[in-house]
Amino acid sequence: MICEDYLTGAHSMDVPQETVDKEVQAILDKIKSKPDFNPNQLFDPEKHLAWKDEYFETTKTFTLQDLGITKTHTKPINNFGATYPFPLLTEDAIDIMKWEAFQPQVVKKYARLTNPDFSLKTNRHDFHIAGYPEEGHAPFTKSVYDHPRLKEIFSQLIGMDVTTTYGYDVNHVNVALADFDLPLDAPLYPEPEKGEDGKPIFKAEEVGSILGQHYDSTSIACVIMWECPQDKGGETVIITGDETPLVIPNIARPGYCTLLQARVIRHIATKPNTNSNRIATVAGYYPTAPILDNSCLTSVRPSILPRSVHDEFYTEWFDFRFKQLERVLADKRKKLWDAYKKGEMFDQKGVIEFSKECQQYLFDSWREMEFANNDPYPPPLFSKPYSELTYEVGGDDSK
Ligand SMILES: [Fe+2]
């Protein structure tokens, strides 16, 4: 049954006033107390970019093959897998982004608690904020993602030109705040068991996580750290091709960034295992070329993710998907006329294949909407081993 709450703004999942008054206010107070803090500016790479071009050489990157992933559930955009964290933005830049996200009126309108049904060990301090930069509440944040320099850096690391997806999935903020009623930095869970190499053994079922084991709904996830304790959890954990976890080391400094082809790599965002803040943002990217993207609604549809406010979210989603289709159709029309003018034979088979892909794209745009489908979440796909998936990486498109 469609539940009225998510149709009318998911207000049952509003962030409690107590959290806004205490923990959120403390974040704002801390930023405001910095003498050089100035929120009234736009992104300037000279001032706010921590990236240096030498990092193209020094940043550790993995292809899908490096991660042992040879089968996926949908077509990857290319062979890019993931990067280790690299310095992207300065701490000053992160302060302004945080300032914009945690304004009480933004939290009130755009933040919703994490859905407790799909997360482990979450509470009133765990929430998401999204959609606010697109609606004019965060000029600095918007100017960061709009800047061509960021796109250039990411495109080079990923090995293909990429750009930001629709507004709701650009700068989605994952927030897990320390509880002021408990001792700060106190351990929340027992120390994890250590393996023979002295490193903690990662057990997916034992860590707290903002979202359990999952695929993202956008092609590429760009995760930018805002705040996190050092060596105390909060890592992104990749499930590799042989189903073993690869813990991406948590360079906990603000402004560090990690890229992940999250649509085809199963992963977990862990919570810190101490009573501390972990705040990170995720921005979705997809190929700039006129090709049909592989994004979906699975983990972002409003009935699953309360921060996706129904009317705004679906309007943005269909604006994005229809625009994509328009671009691809325009490109194809041009190619058909060009071929005709060159005297080439009309490619019936090619046009049939192309039309089927467009049909599938339109179908995929709506098939996960609540009105059409209310399948349980998380879907069985999120726990299916890679070996049971059907798309061969680098293989023939037809599987
Ligand atoms: Fe994710």
Side-chain angles (χ1 to χ4, degrees):
M1 269 309 285
I2 288 181
C3 149
E4 201 172 294
D5 187 52
Y6 82 82
L7 293 173
T8 54
H11 289 296
S12 72
M13 303 298 278
D14 282 351
V15 176
Q17 195 59 40
E18 189 190 350
T19 306
V20 177
D21 291 344
K22 276 199 215 168
E23 289 86 359
V24 170
Q25 190 56 44
I27 293 174
L28 295 175
D29 291 345
K30 193 171 164 194
I31 298 171
K32 207 162 62 178
S33 70
K34 296 186 180 181
D36 295 331
F37 175 64
N38 170 18
N40 302 314
Q41 52 181 318
L42 293 180
F43 178 71
D44 174 358
E46 294 293 316
K47 270 176 26 192
H48 302 118
L49 200 62
W51 170 266
K52 295 192 177 85
D53 280 350
E54 66 206 55
Y55 300 153
F56 282 126
E57 305 302 321
T58 56
T59 302
K60 193 169 171 55
T61 60
F62 298 89
T63 61
L64 291 175
Q65 287 79 1
D66 293 336
L67 297 169
I69 297 173
T70 53
K71 287 181 163 187
T72 52
H73 66 93
T74 188
K75 188 180 178 182
I77 63 164
N78 67 359
N79 284 334
F80 171 77
T83 69
Y84 268 14
F86 53 85
L88 180 71
L89 301 173
T90 63
E91 195 163 340
D92 286 351
I94 299 300
D95 278 342
I96 307 173
M97 291 171 92
K98 264 158 84 173
W99 178 260
E100 290 180 334
F102 287 107
Q103 290 302 310
Q105 68 275 18
V106 170
V107 174
K108 194 171 168 36
K109 188 163 177 204
Y110 296 95
R112 297 293 184 275
L113 293 172
T114 299
N115 191 334
D117 295 345
F118 313 127
S119 310
L120 294 170
K121 303 177 182 177
T122 56
N123 54 33
R124 75 170 173 93
H125 308 98
D126 298 309
F127 55 92
H128 307 285
I129 323 171
Y132 65 100
E134 198 59 25
E135 296 221 343
H137 298 277
F140 181 82
T141 304
K142 188 156 168 42
S143 71
V144 170
Y145 290 103
D146 284 349
H147 201 283
R149 187 73 189 109
L150 245 68
K151 289 175 195 171
E152 281 164 24
I153 295 167
F154 295 163
S155 297
Q156 197 164 330
L157 288 167
I158 291 165
M160 125 185 257
D161 281 349
V162 291
T163 190
T164 45
T165 185
Y166 57 100
Y168 242 103
D169 270 311
V170 179
N171 199 67
H172 158 99
V173 193
N174 277 328
V175 186
L177 296 182
D179 184 341
F180 278 15
D181 296 335
L182 297 172
L184 291 182
D185 300 322
L188 291 177
Y189 317 117
E191 282 275 311
E193 231 178 281
K194 296 216 165 93
E196 281 172 13
D197 56 1
K199 287 188 185 161
I201 303 171
F202 177 81
K203 289 187 183 155
E205 63 286 4
E206 284 181 13
V207 294
S209 70
I210 306 228
L211 287 167
Q213 210 177 118
H214 67 282
Y215 294 104
D216 280 8
S217 294
T218 55
S219 307
I220 295 280
C222 151
V223 181
I224 302 178
M225 190 56 76
W226 283 8
E227 213 176 299
C228 195
Q230 188 91 48
D231 302 325
K232 297 281 187 334
E235 297 95 352
T236 297
V237 179
I238 288 176
I239 309 298
T240 62
D242 63 2
E243 304 299 320
T244 56
L246 171 74
V247 180
I248 299 288
N250 184 10
I251 315 269
R253 282 193 290 280
Y256 271 63
C257 174
T258 310
L259 297 170
L260 186 69
Q261 189 167 175
R263 183 77 181 96
V264 293
I265 297 177
R266 239 159 58 240
H267 61 281
I268 301 170
T270 66
K271 282 187 66 175
N273 48 31
T274 60
N275 186 33
S276 3
N277 288 356
R278 182 197 191 265
I279 311 170
T281 63
V282 189
Y285 281 77
Y286 72 99
T288 312
I291 50 173
L292 296 171
D293 58 279
N294 61 10
S295 53
C296 68
L297 290 170
T298 317
S299 60
V300 290
R301 61 189 200 262
S303 55
I304 299 302
L305 192 61
R307 65 78 175 164
S308 297
V309 173
H310 184 265
D311 299 350
E312 291 163 41
F313 175 81
Y314 277 129
T315 306
E316 276 193 11
W317 167 255
F318 279 101
D319 178 68
F320 169 67
R321 298 285 284 196
F322 289 167
K323 235 189 305 200
Q324 282 284 77
L325 205 53
E326 282 170 13
R327 240 159 48 103
V328 169
L329 288 171
D331 182 63
K332 190 68 178 175
R333 280 169 54 206
K334 183 172 180 310
K335 283 180 179 150
L336 289 179
W337 280 115
D338 287 350
Y340 173 73
K341 283 175 197 158
K342 275 192 231 152
E344 290 173 14
M345 190 176 170
F346 186 85
D347 179 9
Q348 282 205 24
K349 188 165 176 281
V351 170
I352 290 171
E353 280 314 310
F354 172 79
S355 302
K356 280 185 185 170
E357 279 171 30
C358 294
Q359 252 176 295
Q360 185 68 39
Y361 187 78
L362 265 179
F363 175 64
D364 289 345
S365 299
W366 62 259
R367 77 186 158 111
E368 290 183 286
M369 292 177 80
E370 292 85 356
F371 190 79
N373 180 333
N374 223 358
D375 279 353
Y377 184 91
L381 175 66
F382 285 5
S383 48
K384 209 179 209 183
Y386 290 109
S387 60
E388 291 175 21
L389 303 177
T390 49
Y391 190 85
E392 307 256 353
V393 176
D396 181 69
D397 279 11
S398 59
K399 291 173 199 173

